[in-house]
Amino acid sequence: MPIKLEYNSKFNYLTILGQGHITLKEVESAIKDMFDSTEYASDVNALWDVRELEFSDIDIEFVKGLVAIRRQYNRESENTRIAILSNYILAAPIIKLYTILSSNLGQKTRTFKTVVEAELWLCEGL
């Protein structure tokens, strides 16, 4: 599966690793698994690691679909933090589009180039 979920119990955040080509159906399945898990709370902060994701198939319609899927689970994840980890310069406009379109969902979203920076932000206040 091109989306893997890994819970970091030490720092209480979930890593969502995207690899290769992904579809909205796979995204929806991963998000459902995330909210159905008993290992962590549904409002856990998340690190979206998209460094290995293939962006050639991701367009505005994909981003709109992703936001629509996230909206279905908005109540369970309000006030969480989402750190998007990307070092691919050409992905920046797509990531920015996501942050704009999802700004009314209640989660705080920021983009980072290193895991350390993302972890520091996710773990503020612990």
Side-chain angles (χ1 to χ4, degrees), residues 53-70:
L53 197 62
E54 179 58 54
F55 278 87
S56 62
D57 297 333
I58 298 178
D59 59 11
I60 190 167
E61 294 307 317
F62 184 95
V63 175
K64 287 179 179 178
L66 174 58
V67 171
I69 293 166
R70 294 283 308 161

Side-chain angles (χ1 to χ4, degrees), residues 94-113:
I94 295 289
I95 294 169
K96 182 68 174 174
L97 178 63
Y98 172 80
T99 59
I100 291 168
L101 294 178
S102 67
S103 63
N104 65 347
L105 295 181
Q107 296 96 21
K108 295 176 185 149
T109 304
R110 289 192 44 198
T111 306
F112 299 90
K113 292 183 180 179

